[in-house]
Amino acid sequence: MKILVTGGTGYIGSHTVVELQQQDYEVIIIDNLSNSRAEIANQIAKITGIKPTLEVFDLTDKQKTKAFFKKHHDLSGVIHFAASKAVGESVEKPLMYYANNLGSLINVLEGMIENDIQNFVFSSSCTVYGQPDVLPVSEEAPIKPAESPYGNTKQIAEEILKDTIKVSNVKAIALRYFNPIGAHESAEIGELPQGVPNNLVPYITQTAKGIRDFLRVWGDDYNTPDGTAVRDYIHVVDLAKAHVVAIRRMLENKMKNDFEVFNLGTGTGYSVLDVIKAFERVTGTKLNYKVMERREGDIEKVWADPTYSNTELGWKAEKGLDVMMDSAWKWELRYRKNLMK
Ligand code: WQD
């Protein structure tokens, strides 16, 4: 079974390629390397023994994408990660986000339809829920107006999928991620933030490494137990495994509808200070941080109701916060040797 993974040299994409290969799927990656590196394919091979085929081009290029799908018309399915994902950048450059994230999605779907490739797994996000009215948040929760163009591209993408499956043989599963963190236990792959990290955990590990002077904690005046914002952090390997479960569900014709949505979270919310304390506990280091004002656009608290994913998809997150933090730290300590030459 040959699976296309777009964005497969990226953070979640590379971890998913590892899990696919370890389940004996043949993997082809398309990536434009705008936010990742070609040598990640070698790092994947160090884990699995198999170097995935990597085709480097931009999926907004309609002709190249069309030619790719014609050549690989025997694909069994597509897992689509390729997208720009920096919330702040999307506010500054909305047209780039709409053109890139939606343009590439449309080209991939057209390529699939032209070659009767039917199975599509989409990288969505809990950001579609905004600040939910009810917690934990289930798949039935209302979609709220997006807080950023990035979040809006996820919402629009799901609408595009709903319309496309009605007029084609494409079936789609949208996986709504909560907060993916951590790295593969081998420390051969992990998060590779370009420049100053926006996200909490890479900023923590870079601070502990001495690359950043201190962590800024964005607000401690939220209506939460310790005042800092709460998120549902999920180990990236647990998340990756869910993609293999989803593609297998499609290949085994177990879908109940042609468009399905699953929340991928642990069901447990942790505050920023909880994450810091877990990091200090597992690494034995003291983290230098300062509490600052809230960050524009942040929501207060969100965590998943994972019941539907657990029962219907047959997937459950297994790794706890300590493992997430320990793996993130081991990756930080290792990767600058491997990849920052
Ligand atoms: C987590 C918590 C911050 C950095 C976003 C997107 C989501 C996905 C993941 C792309 C918040 C706090 C953070 C820092 C801090 N993006 N924080 N100091 O904002 O929940 O989710 O990134 O796939 O779609 O919305 O993640 O890691 O940025 O923040 O205090 O230096 O950590 O305020 O409470 P977020 P995050």
Side-chain angles (χ1 to χ4, degrees):
M1 296 280 193
K2 191 161 75 166
I3 303 293
L4 166 62
V5 179
T6 73
T9 56
Y11 175 41
I12 304 167
S14 56
H15 285 84
T16 302
V17 170
V18 165
E19 298 305 320
L20 282 166
Q21 290 186 329
Q22 291 181 337
Q23 298 288 324
D24 298 325
Y25 289 96
E26 181 192 347
V27 176
I28 298 186
I29 296 172
I30 295 175
D31 207 299
N32 68 2
L33 304 181
S34 62
N35 193 25
S36 61
R37 298 157 175 272
E39 54 263 48
I40 292 296
N42 300 325
Q43 297 299 111
I44 289 168
K46 284 184 187 169
I47 300 170
T48 64
I50 308 160
K51 185 174 177 181
T53 307
L54 170 59
E55 303 232 1
V56 180
F57 68 89
D58 196 313
L59 287 165
T60 56
D61 182 322
K62 201 174 267 299
Q63 289 319 314
K64 285 186 179 169
T65 305
K66 198 177 173 70
F68 173 88
F69 277 100
K70 193 162 184 301
K71 180 179 167 195
H72 296 283
H73 53 80
D74 59 340
L75 284 167
S76 299
V78 178
I79 304 180
H80 184 58
F81 292 102
S84 302
K85 53 144 250 171
V87 173
E89 182 187 46
S90 78
V91 173
E92 288 153 29
K93 302 175 185 168
L95 292 180
M96 184 192 101
Y97 270 67
Y98 290 116
N100 183 48
N101 293 5
L102 302 179
S104 38
L105 170 71
I106 290 164
N107 289 346
V108 168
L109 291 171
E110 283 179 344
M112 290 177 69
I113 292 166
E114 280 164 18
N115 295 278
D116 199 25
I117 298 161
Q118 300 183 3
N119 302 311
F120 185 78
V121 174
F122 177 63
S123 169
S124 191
S125 170
C126 67
T127 200
V128 302
Y129 300 117
Q131 176 56 65
D133 302 323
V134 175
L135 288 170
V137 63
S138 76
E139 289 81 357
E140 282 68 53
I143 303 300
K144 294 259 186 92
E147 307 265 336
S148 68
Y150 158 76
N152 207 21
T153 64
K154 293 298 182 185
Q155 292 185 11
I156 298 167
E158 291 193 10
E159 292 304 314
I160 290 172
L161 291 173
K162 278 191 261 187
D163 291 338
T164 304
I165 60 160
K166 288 177 194 152
V167 294
S168 70
N169 292 332
V170 172
K171 302 187 294 297
I173 292 181
L175 299 176
R176 293 178 180 162
Y177 309 157
F178 285 69
N179 284 59
I181 63 170
H184 192 268
E185 62 187 2
S186 65
E188 298 293 357
I189 53 174
E191 197 165 1
L192 266 175
Q194 314 266 334
V196 181
N198 299 305
N199 294 130
L200 176 64
V201 172
Y203 207 106
I204 287 178
T205 57
Q206 288 190 13
T207 301
K209 195 85 174 349
I211 296 158
R212 308 290 161 201
D213 44 9
F214 62 92
L215 171 74
R216 290 158 183 76
V217 173
W218 301 126
D220 66 351
D221 57 347
Y222 288 104
N223 178 20
T224 61
D226 62 23
T228 61
V230 173
R231 296 288 185 277
D232 185 330
Y233 296 96
I234 176 170
H235 197 292
V236 66
V237 171
D238 280 331
L239 195 67
K241 288 177 188 294
H243 291 74
V244 184
V245 173
I247 205 82
R248 189 181 306 122
R249 176 182 177 85
M250 305 178 100
L251 293 170
E252 293 173 355
N253 297 311
K254 291 188 174 153
M255 292 176 79
K256 298 270 169 55
N257 299 297
D258 286 345
F259 178 69
E260 293 183 326
V261 171
F262 293 99
N263 284 349
L264 298 186
T266 65
T268 303
Y270 287 110
S271 73
V272 176
L273 291 179
D274 289 334
V275 174
I276 292 170
K277 288 194 191 90
F279 180 78
E280 292 181 329
R281 185 168 58 243
V282 298
T283 62
T285 62
K286 195 95 188 76
L287 191 78
N288 192 10
Y289 68 88
K290 285 192 181 72
V291 177
M292 319 291 277
E293 291 304 304
R294 296 181 177 190
R295 180 172 68 177
E296 185 67 29
D298 273 351
I299 61 166
E300 179 172 76
K301 49 193 171 192
V302 63
W303 59 92
D305 172 355
T307 312
Y308 185 59
S309 289
N310 300 161
T311 55
E312 183 55 42
L313 190 57
W315 163 90
K316 187 169 170 44
E318 288 155 8
K319 298 174 192 301
L321 186 62
D322 285 9
V323 172
M324 296 180 214
M325 299 315 290
D326 186 50
S327 65
W329 183 228
K330 284 195 169 66
W331 162 247
E332 181 66 59
L333 292 174
R334 276 284 303 278
Y335 96 90
R336 293 202 185 275
K337 291 197 193 88
N338 295 349
L339 285 168
M340 301 301 280
K341 287 183 187 81

